[in-house]
Amino acid sequence: MLYNSKILLFVLCLFVVTPNKLVASPELNSNSNLFLIQIDSLIKQKNISNDMTKLELLVLYNDALFEKHPDSVSIFKNLAIINADLNQPKDALVFTKKYINNTLDFSILNDGAYNVISDSEEYETLSEDYRLQLDWLTFLFLYVALIGFFFTIILSFSKKSNRQAKLFIGGFVGVHSLFILEFVLYISNFQYKVPHTYLMASAAALLYGPLLYLYFKSVISDFKFRTKDLLHFLPSLILILFLFPMYSLSGDEKVKIMLDINVVYNSNRYVIFISKVLSLTIYAILIGRDQYLYERKENHSKHNKVQTINKWKKTIYKIHIVYLISYIIYGLPVSGLLASFPYFINYIQVSIMSIMVIYLSYMAYVQPEIFKQEWTNLSEASRLSMEKYQKSGLTNALSKELKENLIKLFVEDKVYKENNINLEILSERLNTTRHNTSQIINEHFNMNFFELINKFRIKETINILKNDTYGNLNIIDIAYEVGYNNKVTFNKAFKKETSLTPSEFINSQFKKNVFVLGISLDGLRSQSKQNKC
């Protein structure tokens, strides 16, 4: 009540002194053309702090603004701070936004005057729009993004089988993680500090569909990436070229776009949204078609591995469809095609992406064999061979024990050197049945008995040949040494394993030895000359 009385008294005094014009107290100067530097110097000189004097300043600044003073930006700042200090949050909101839009200076909100209106809705709006926002949800999404990047790096650099498929699924997780990271920067307002991250994920907006499609192709068929498959990435290149003018802008210009000051590039949102929806839809149809045909083909298979991998791919595909739907719901209002939307829709879309990243990372940890894809690339005969062991009754503990014993027989005892070794004799050495031995070799080594024997024999042969520096050994002697009964079988097995005949391999080793010897001799001659000198 006392505060309102002061304001009323102040206004009445002004009109009594000069009825045609608002005039401040004589001490502050009544000239309507008072320059801002004079006002600021008076503030410092008088150490002004009482409400009446602030109201006088408010009138002077409004008067200067009305008369279109050239330093209007400073007027916005002073009016924002004074209104905040006088607990007038609505005016403080208006002038604060005008000042920030003109200067991109967010530090004004650090002024102590805003503490007066800190409980108001207007200050909450300013804080949400401009100040750094950190909460548990922000850290959660950041954590998911980091997990996704870690998964992408680990999977992409893995040198195990079907690296092609791993690169595709790793890239798929990577672009999701990039989008989640950009969302974190956006909701936390940290993007104002790093403006060049604005729409960074949009450069990869058209990669979601192709990467997932090529991954499915790699694991459900004997797919080899060829030059013509680069066409799947052509739309992404076109989109990047389209966005390049915006990406090349300065940081301040990008901040203006974020604040909707610069509306020149608003059409980018429509282009990104429409092209991404089309890409996601087209590739969802292609993946669904291929998956349907694959399931029809593999419908007879009851093997656990086949069922596990099929379930895994179905889950990824379902999450992809849900993401497509959520993106359409999110993108319609964001792109401007719908008037408004509840803000929580942003979180729904990113939450679905986070679920995708967490699910893939979890499966990589719990069931890493899914990413190896050895099973999906096996021949039909090999699958049928493995499926026959489905109900053998061999426990996991016994299977592990037999595997370890088998490795010991081959590595330490070198049973493969015995020319009469067969599955029956090997089973006796393992103290188990022929059926169990066959199952152990198939499941743990992904090959049959003869393939395993030949692998060890040829490896032993290579070691012998490499150590035979002077070429004193005969090929037939080596063949007998490693367990073969004749030269023909030995030559055939050797070429299958190394793509070279034994003679070709020996010649290559000889040339290598001569080259090394030549370097050594040159070194000795050089040393000899130095000693003579």
Side-chain angles (χ1 to χ4, degrees), residues 468-486:
D468 184 24
T469 308
Y470 301 102
N472 295 327
L473 298 175
N474 293 323
I475 293 177
I476 188 60
D477 293 332
I478 298 173
Y480 291 145
E481 171 68 19
V482 297
Y484 288 101
N485 291 318
N486 59 76

Side-chain angles (χ1 to χ4, degrees), residues 144-145 148-149 170-182 201 204 208-209 212 280 319-320 323 349-350 352-354 356-357 360:
V144 171
F149 288 130
F172 180 71
V173 174
V175 294
H176 277 79
S177 302
L178 186 65
F179 185 94
I180 296 171
L181 178 60
E182 185 182 341
Y208 296 87
L212 189 62
L280 290 173
I319 296 176
H320 178 69
Y323 169 71
Q349 187 213 8
V350 178
I352 293 170
M353 298 181 82
S354 300
M356 172 80 80
V357 171
L360 290 168

Side-chain angles (χ1 to χ4, degrees), residues 36-205:
L36 294 181
I37 189 169
Q38 293 175 279
I39 300 175
D40 293 337
S41 64
L42 281 171
I43 293 172
K44 293 177 182 178
Q45 179 185 343
K46 297 285 185 180
N47 193 20
I48 293 169
S49 61
N50 64 75
D51 289 344
M52 287 300 293
T53 311
K54 290 173 187 172
L55 284 168
E56 291 176 303
L57 291 173
L58 195 62
V59 172
L60 289 171
Y61 280 122
N62 273 302
D63 193 34
L65 189 63
F66 179 75
E67 293 186 3
K68 298 181 179 179
H69 192 282
D71 196 7
S72 59
V73 174
S74 293
I75 297 175
F76 291 148
K77 180 178 182 179
N78 288 307
L79 283 173
I81 293 173
I82 293 172
N83 276 295
D85 210 12
L86 290 172
N87 199 16
Q88 300 185 88
K90 290 185 178 179
D91 289 335
L93 172 66
V94 171
F95 288 112
T96 301
K97 285 196 169 186
K98 285 184 177 180
Y99 173 73
I100 291 176
N101 286 347
N102 280 276
T103 64
L104 306 181
D105 178 17
F106 302 100
S107 63
I108 186 176
L109 294 174
N110 297 329
D111 194 286
Y114 287 93
N115 293 333
V116 179
I117 62 170
S118 59
D119 295 331
S120 66
E121 291 182 3
E122 288 77 9
Y123 180 77
E124 186 178 346
T125 300
L126 288 172
S127 182
E128 289 179 354
D129 287 348
Y130 304 121
R131 302 201 75 169
L132 188 64
Q133 302 289 311
L134 297 175
D135 54 26
W136 67 270
L137 204 55
T138 304
F139 283 106
L140 178 62
F141 284 132
L142 177 61
Y143 180 66
V144 171
L146 294 177
I147 289 176
F149 288 130
F150 178 76
F151 170 86
T152 300
I153 294 169
I154 294 299
L155 202 60
S156 298
F157 286 94
S158 174
K159 294 183 179 180
K160 294 183 179 179
S161 59
N162 206 346
R163 188 179 180 189
Q164 174 181 279
K166 292 179 181 180
L167 287 173
F168 291 139
I169 196 65
F172 180 71
V173 174
V175 294
H176 277 79
S177 302
L178 186 65
F179 185 94
I180 296 171
L181 178 60
E182 185 182 341
F183 182 75
V184 169
L185 297 175
Y186 166 72
I187 63 174
S188 65
N189 290 332
F190 194 76
Q191 202 164 44
Y192 295 133
K193 296 183 180 295
V194 282
H196 290 296
T197 61
Y198 177 66
L199 290 186
M200 63 178 180
S202 296

Side-chain angles (χ1 to χ4, degrees), residues 289-304:
R289 180 202 63 186
D290 290 353
Q291 182 67 10
Y292 172 74
L293 294 174
Y294 173 77
E295 287 180 0
R296 284 189 61 185
K297 179 182 176 182
E298 297 294 327
N299 191 44
H300 66 278
S301 179
K302 302 298 180 182
H303 196 282
N304 286 338

Side-chain angles (χ1 to χ4, degrees), residues 6 71 100 109 180 366 379 395 404 421:
K6 284 183 179 181
D71 196 7
I100 291 176
L109 294 174
I180 296 171
V366 176
S379 64
T395 64
E404 291 173 354
I421 190 72

